[in-house]
Amino acid sequence: MSAPNSTLEETRNAPAATDTPVSKKPGRKPRRGFSSIGTMSPTEKWMRYVLLVVVLLICVGPFLWEFSTSLKGPDEDIYTDVPSFFPANPTIDNYIRAFMAVPIFSFIGNSLFVAAVGVTGNIVFATLAGYALARLKFRGSKIVLGLLLASLILPGEATIVSQFLLVSELGLADTLMGVALPGMVAPLNVLLMYNAFRVMPEELDQAGVIDGANAWQRLWHIGVPSVKGTIAVVAIFSFIGAWDDFLWPLIVLTTPENFTLTIGLQYLAGTFATDQRLIAAGAMIAFIPIAIVFALLQRHFFKGVEEGGVKG
């Protein structure tokens, strides 16, 4: 009887389970100044704002400085040791002088023609090619896609000689159509449209097939309405590329009447002296159409950026 009594006494004297502290594995505390997932500390928020301001100054600073220079008068020195960002006496005389020095309206018309052909060609051909690669099954589609990816590695200067020979053989040298022809479809725009069509649900095409729609009808009634944002992205990229291009029009065009705006503005630079105020005004004039196009399509532009993302 002694053994059971001793066992009972030891059980009574044993500490309760709740009194024993549960050993926990020491966790990693968040570093000071950084918050856990899902929240943002004030320090981290200020760091992000500072970074955004720095990036904004790097991207927008040169443009604002150019705009400020275009508004400075001839009596204001722009080469001082401590330059002033704000013009002392703002004036638009530099813009008037730029319009009087060169036929800017004629150059703008030429650039608009080249840009219109480039934008139309990229929208049509990139959409057709992207839809065919993403939604239609045919032999060699992966090879075509690989060639498009490989073409992005080559710089434009590597093929500029062959492009010029082709344009010359077609009799399009020194013409605006010869300038616009090589830029009517870009591999990058085809890949953008391919990615936009690729993320579309397969059920949409299957429903169209069940209803008896052919490939053209599925493209026009199902595909195009679903990728309007990406089409806007392609339009903006094509317009900026055609409008800002300088090297290719300089090679193709020889007649001053056919010059685009980027080439025509070179007349603003004098042989013996150059007025940076006048050149800055010409740069601002060339920038205005790009700003207008982006302002009109910015809503669709950001929608197109979302269309190209991965959807879960």
Side-chain angles (χ1 to χ4, degrees):
M1 296 296 293
S2 59
N5 291 336
S6 60
T7 304
L8 180 60
E9 188 68 24
E10 291 177 0
T11 305
R12 290 176 179 177
N13 296 332
T18 56
D19 297 338
T20 304
V22 180
S23 60
K24 295 182 179 180
K25 190 175 181 180
R28 182 181 298 177
K29 295 182 179 180
R31 290 183 295 175
R32 183 176 299 176
F34 292 87
S35 58
S36 59
I37 298 175
T39 60
M40 184 183 303
S41 65
T43 304
E44 187 177 357
K45 183 181 297 186
W46 278 107
M47 289 177 60
R48 293 190 178 187
Y49 279 119
V50 171
L51 181 61
L52 288 175
V53 170
V54 172
V55 174
L56 180 65
L57 292 177
I58 294 175
C59 297
V60 185
F63 165 76
L64 295 178
W65 184 264
E66 195 81 359
F67 179 68
S68 174
T69 303
S70 67
L71 296 177
K72 294 180 179 180
D75 55 343
E76 188 172 355
D77 190 5
I78 61 176
Y79 300 104
T80 58
D81 295 335
V82 184
S84 60
F85 183 79
F86 298 98
N89 298 309
T91 178
I92 61 172
D93 290 341
N94 296 320
Y95 293 89
I96 298 176
R97 291 170 53 203
F99 278 99
M100 295 178 62
V102 294
I104 289 182
F105 287 110
S106 176
F107 297 153
I108 289 178
N110 296 337
S111 294
L112 286 177
F113 175 81
V114 174
V117 174
V119 170
T120 304
N122 276 277
I123 290 178
V124 174
F125 297 119
T127 301
L128 294 175
Y131 184 81
L133 291 173
R135 313 303 292 186
L136 303 181
K137 296 180 181 180
F138 60 93
R139 185 175 300 176
S141 60
K142 293 184 178 180
I143 298 177
V144 175
L145 183 61
L147 292 175
L148 288 173
L149 291 172
S151 64
L152 298 177
I153 304 175
L154 294 175
E157 292 77 7
T159 59
I160 201 168
V161 175
S162 59
Q163 289 179 1
F164 179 75
L165 294 176
L166 178 61
V167 169
S168 299
E169 290 295 329
L170 294 175
L172 298 176
D174 195 22
T175 63
L176 295 177
M177 195 63 195
V179 177
L181 182 61
M184 289 184 66
V185 57
L188 178 60
N189 294 332
V190 175
L191 293 175
L192 287 175
M193 297 304 303
Y194 161 78
N195 191 46
F197 285 120
R198 184 175 60 88
V199 298
M200 287 175 49
E202 292 287 344
E203 291 77 7
L204 295 177
D205 275 349
Q206 295 175 1
V209 173
I210 294 175
D211 292 338
N214 55 30
W216 291 101
Q217 292 172 336
R218 296 198 303 270
L219 169 63
W220 182 253
H221 296 288
I222 300 176
V224 172
S226 301
V227 296
K228 288 182 179 179
T230 308
I231 293 177
V233 175
V234 171
I236 292 176
F237 285 172
S238 304
F239 183 85
I240 294 176
W243 186 268
D244 290 341
D245 193 11
F246 175 79
L247 180 60
W248 177 245
L250 182 64
I251 294 175
V252 176
L253 301 177
T254 56
T255 305
E257 288 76 12
N258 294 332
F259 283 176
T260 57
L261 185 61
T262 53
I263 303 177
L265 290 178
Q266 297 303 306
Y267 285 117
L268 297 178
T271 305
F272 302 101
T274 300
D275 189 353
Q276 296 297 331
R277 305 172 187 83
L278 197 63
I279 295 178
M284 290 297 100
I285 294 173
F287 171 76
I288 290 175
I290 297 178
I292 293 175
V293 171
F294 185 79
L296 294 175
L297 298 177
Q298 63 174 340
R299 179 170 60 90
H300 301 286
F301 175 83
F302 292 109
K303 180 182 177 182
V305 174
E306 295 177 358
E307 288 177 355
V310 179
K311 299 182 179 179

